[in-house]
Amino acid sequence: MVIEVSSRTRSLLALGAAVAVLAVPVRPVTALADGGADGGRKVLTIALAQSVDSLSPFLAQRLVSTTIHRLTYEYLTNYDAADGRTIPGLATGWKSSPSKLTWTYTIRKNSTWSDGRPVTAHDAAFTFTKMMTDEKAATANGNFTANFRRVTAPDPRTLVVELKKPQATMTALDVPIVPRHVWEKVGDFGTFNNDTSFPVVGNGPFVITEFKVDQFVRLKPNKTFWRGAPKFDELMLRFYKDGDAAVSALRKGEVSFVQGLVPAQAAALLKADDIKVNDAPGRRFLALAVNPGARSRDGRTFGTGHPALRDPVVRRALFHAIDRRELVDTVYRGHAVEGEGYIPPRFGAYHWQPDARQKRVHDPERADALLDAAGYRQNGDGRRLGKDGRPLTFRLLCHATDPSETHIGKYLDSVWGKLGIDTRLECLDNVSDPWLKGDYDLAFDGWSVNPDPDFVLSIHTCGALPATPDATGSTDNFICDRRYDELYERQRAEYDPVVRARLVKRMQDRLYETGLMNVLLYPNAVEAYRTDHIASMTTMPAAAGNLWGQDGYWSWWSAVPARGHRDGSDGGSATGVVLGIGGAVALAAAVGVAMALRRRATADTRE
């Protein structure tokens, strides 16, 4: 039994004139069991495969972390669960000046911090100003404030943002607003992980009450949340390094929800009692990123990227050898869509597809011919030789705990081997260190995309490179292309949604042409939950969307306990985490303060 999947449409908000939008209540769209409960402590437990990189909104980049922050802090605006349009969040309305250089937001009166203090415009002004003035505070979301000239709060209900030049993301500032009275006491924003004092003060629907690295995050409802408190008594995020163990826990009723299912797990759960499988179009892509030669903004180069991959002919040949349809059919068993443009098809306004002439189709013979014509000849043993006369061998960085990447890696080794190129698969538990040092040739890469794609576009700009080889940088894989940068600046300043979408597509065209970021596929969001734990909850988009990792807090905020569901744990600290190493989709990584500054975002990371 699978929830019906349909394509998502995105209604773009025309920016410019004064806008004041009334809050629209979110409605559960699918009743899965009788609502209510017959007493007892009702706990919604989510099994996770990814570690929290930081509980600091200024440092966190992984999807699990940004999801937690959406639950615990309000943003100025939110996205409607039904269609992704912009709706009020902490701000009840906004307007721009005729020049589009000044934006004024009205901050709601009925939002309070979980410690009882009122939320004001001064909290928002502090949050943005800190990101503007402290490079460490800009680690996660600095792209949103890079164009800000000044942010002020003339009174508790009014926030004023002055820009250097027009910026089209002013109703999509995906930045958690933090309480000034708490965060103004923080000394070093690069080392403060926000995990030493509980409960964590926030103003979202949930409050973080306990956290253990690689074990669990415990949250309770915020009884003063302005939309209304969640209906479960507790939300528990429990970590599993092994996906099969998480699925086993779901079957036993030890957890309520599991995400990131591989096809075999999803197929088996379809036959299970009291379990619903949700297979929805995903927000993310899986790509092969090329190391173009790691460099910093001061002009210094570093890392050990293979020089042959700086030749666009080599990159083009490699990807003509790949049959994306085969990967969708054999590795994902149809739970994915063949990749093309950088923005997934779920975001229809921005999704781009190459034309027939441009498309890098599966054509091994053409790949061979391209390499031959460019002077990459084969020796008597069939090995393809580089310009230095040495056989070509490329290192492919992958996550050891992700079976899909391992399978795709073996496939690539096979098809590239037919070209005479050897592949050295380097599957590690922690890919961050070699990635940040530029010590790889190719790597699996993936990001979750927001309704406004500015962030995932910004990480390929020259300005995202680290200032020095050892400095903080938000770059993904060291791309720096002046034509791409020029298009990025134009789309960022364009308020006409149709014109902006056209520019975003041209950016994807350019990224595709460089061959430095090659999208293989768009995985579905495949997840499952117990219908005897959860009576109903809201998907995003509402008609047939995902539950985990939404652009908002709708699923867990709206979740209704099933009749009779109550906590089955002992009520103590959630330390019973399974540590097996079987086949699973897992992205376990060490959490460290130093890595917070230049953290490599792994697959399914950014929200």
Side-chain angles (χ1 to χ4, degrees):
M1 298 174 65
V2 183
I3 293 179
E4 183 180 355
V5 176
S6 65
S7 60
R8 171 182 179 173
T9 58
R10 166 95 165 99
S11 299
L12 295 176
L13 177 65
L15 304 177
V19 180
V21 187
L22 296 177
V24 178
V26 177
R27 301 177 297 278
V29 298
T30 307
L32 303 175
D34 291 334
D38 61 357
R41 188 163 163 270
K42 300 177 288 295
V43 179
L44 197 167
T45 304
I46 299 171
L48 297 179
Q50 188 182 51
S51 299
V52 170
D53 52 349
S54 178
L55 287 183
S56 165
F58 298 96
L59 300 177
Q61 296 187 21
R62 293 181 181 163
L63 180 62
V64 60
S65 309
T66 54
T67 295
I68 292 170
H69 290 142
R70 280 196 176 275
L71 297 174
T72 53
Y73 300 98
E74 278 273 46
Y75 298 8
L76 287 182
T77 59
N78 208 329
Y79 301 103
D80 185 82
D83 57 15
R85 65 186 175 86
T86 300
I87 60 172
L90 181 58
T92 58
W94 45 87
K95 63 181 180 179
S96 69
S97 64
S99 67
K100 305 295 192 297
L101 294 178
T102 300
W103 283 77
T104 302
Y105 301 84
T106 301
I107 303 301
R108 68 174 56 255
K109 297 178 181 179
N110 59 337
S111 180
T112 59
W113 296 111
S114 53
D115 62 2
R117 296 202 187 191
V119 180
T120 72
H122 299 292
D123 296 302
F126 169 82
T127 300
F128 290 127
T129 301
K130 176 58 66 173
M131 293 168 61
M132 295 164 58
T133 57
D134 186 334
E135 185 178 12
K136 296 176 182 177
T139 298
N141 298 303
N143 65 298
F144 290 113
T145 60
N147 181 45
F148 286 13
R149 184 184 300 280
R150 187 171 68 151
V151 182
T152 56
D155 62 66
R157 303 270 73 84
T158 306
L159 177 74
V160 179
V161 179
E162 299 174 38
L163 304 174
K164 300 173 186 175
K165 51 188 176 182
Q167 180 171 320
T169 61
M170 297 306 290
T171 60
L173 298 173
D174 294 323
V175 176
I177 304 301
V178 302
R180 181 179 67 170
H181 65 280
V182 173
W183 285 84
E184 65 185 357
K185 300 172 186 176
V186 175
D188 187 346
F189 274 67
T191 59
F192 181 69
N193 220 33
N194 198 28
D195 60 358
T196 57
S197 179
F198 296 96
V200 174
V201 178
N203 65 331
F206 291 91
V207 178
I208 303 172
T209 60
E210 193 177 3
F211 169 63
K212 297 294 182 184
V213 175
D214 287 343
Q215 294 185 40
F216 67 90
V217 181
R218 191 191 298 272
L219 305 97
K220 68 177 183 181
N222 180 359
K223 300 297 185 182
T224 63
F225 183 53
W226 67 272
R227 285 189 189 274
K231 300 174 180 61
F232 275 85
D233 297 317
E234 184 173 281
L235 181 64
M236 172 70 75
L237 279 61
R238 192 185 292 267
F239 297 88
Y240 290 81
K241 285 188 176 181
D242 179 79
D244 289 332
V247 170
S248 176
L250 181 74
R251 286 180 176 275
K252 296 175 183 177
E254 296 171 355
V255 301
S256 311
F257 177 90
V258 174
Q259 51 89 28
L261 297 174
V262 298
Q265 293 168 339
L269 289 175
L270 285 172
K271 305 171 185 176
D273 294 334
D274 299 321
I275 291 176
K276 190 83 171 180
V277 175
N278 186 42
D279 185 357
R283 296 173 50 201
R284 62 178 291 259
F285 60 81
L286 177 67
L288 272 176
V290 176
N291 181 352
R295 52 180 158 168
S296 50
R297 293 200 306 270
D298 64 3
R300 282 188 279 175
T301 59
F302 54 96
T304 58
H306 200 297
L309 288 170
R310 297 171 199 170
D311 186 340
V313 173
V314 174
R315 300 195 295 265
R316 194 174 304 121
L318 289 178
F319 296 103
H320 271 303
I322 300 173
D323 187 344
R324 290 168 169 79
R325 172 49 53 187
E326 183 176 348
L327 296 178
V328 169
D329 292 341
T330 60
V331 178
Y332 283 82
R333 309 281 181 84
H335 296 280
V337 176
E338 183 177 350
E340 293 180 317
Y342 188 64
I343 308 299
R346 170 167 165 168
F347 304 101
Y350 295 115
H351 180 60
W352 170 86
Q353 295 174 296
D355 60 36
R357 206 179 30 163
Q358 182 184 25
K359 186 174 181 179
R360 228 161 269 137
V361 296
H362 177 228
D363 190 344
E365 292 182 359
R366 185 176 181 189
D368 259 322
L370 284 169
L371 292 171
D372 287 341
Y376 297 93
R377 302 290 183 178
Q378 289 179 291
N379 64 14
D381 296 328
R383 297 287 305 280
R384 188 75 61 173
L385 304 179
K387 296 298 178 67
D388 58 2
R390 300 171 60 182
L392 292 179
T393 299
F394 297 139
R395 297 164 298 169
L396 175 57
L397 192 61
C398 74
H399 303 89
T401 49
D402 189 334
S404 297
E405 291 188 10
T406 303
H407 293 156
I408 296 174
K410 292 178 180 178
Y411 166 81
L412 295 176
D413 179 45
S414 172
V415 297
W416 290 343
K418 294 175 183 177
L419 298 177
I421 297 173
D422 284 347
T423 306
R424 194 168 78 211
L425 200 57
E426 297 183 347
C427 294
L428 309 173
D429 287 334
N430 177 17
V431 302
S432 295
D433 291 340
W435 193 291
L436 291 172
K437 294 176 182 177
D439 291 335
Y440 67 95
D441 300 325
L442 301 117
F444 289 105
D445 193 15
W447 288 86
S448 290
V449 179
N450 294 339
D452 189 295
D454 183 76
F455 176 83
V456 292
L457 297 172
S458 73
I459 59 178
H460 296 305
T461 60
C462 299
L465 295 174
T468 66
D470 297 322
T472 300
S474 58
T475 186
D476 188 41
N477 62 317
F478 305 103
I479 293 175
C480 178
D481 179 79
R482 297 302 174 185
R483 287 173 59 187
Y484 180 90
D485 275 22
E486 186 268 335
L487 289 167
Y488 175 77
E489 292 301 325
R490 288 175 60 188
Q491 70 81 28
R492 188 181 181 90
E494 181 54 65
Y495 284 88
D496 185 318
V498 175
V499 176
R500 186 179 179 221
R502 191 179 303 133
L503 289 167
V504 169
K505 290 178 180 180
R506 287 180 61 188
M507 292 177 68
Q508 295 176 77
D509 181 299
R510 179 59 185 165
L511 203 57
Y512 189 88
E513 280 299 300
T514 66
L516 296 171
M517 178 61 59
N518 302 273
V519 177
L520 297 174
L521 44 86
Y522 312 107
N524 287 5
V526 187
E527 49 201 9
Y529 49 91
R530 294 200 63 93
T531 58
D532 54 350
H533 289 193
I534 304 169
S536 65
M537 54 183 163
T538 300
T539 59
M540 184 177 187
N546 58 292
L547 294 162
W548 172 251
Q550 294 181 352
D551 298 296
Y553 38 65
W554 311 119
S555 51
W556 316 122
W557 170 74
S558 69
V560 176
R563 180 175 291 123
H565 172 58
R566 66 182 71 192
D567 182 20
S569 71
D570 60 7
S573 294
T575 56
V577 180
V578 180
L579 299 178
I581 55 172
V585 177
L587 299 177
V591 176
V593 170
M595 290 306 299
L597 294 182
R598 291 189 62 208
R599 187 176 299 104
R600 163 68 201 121
T602 55
D604 200 22
T605 53
R606 183 66 188 180
E607 57 168 315

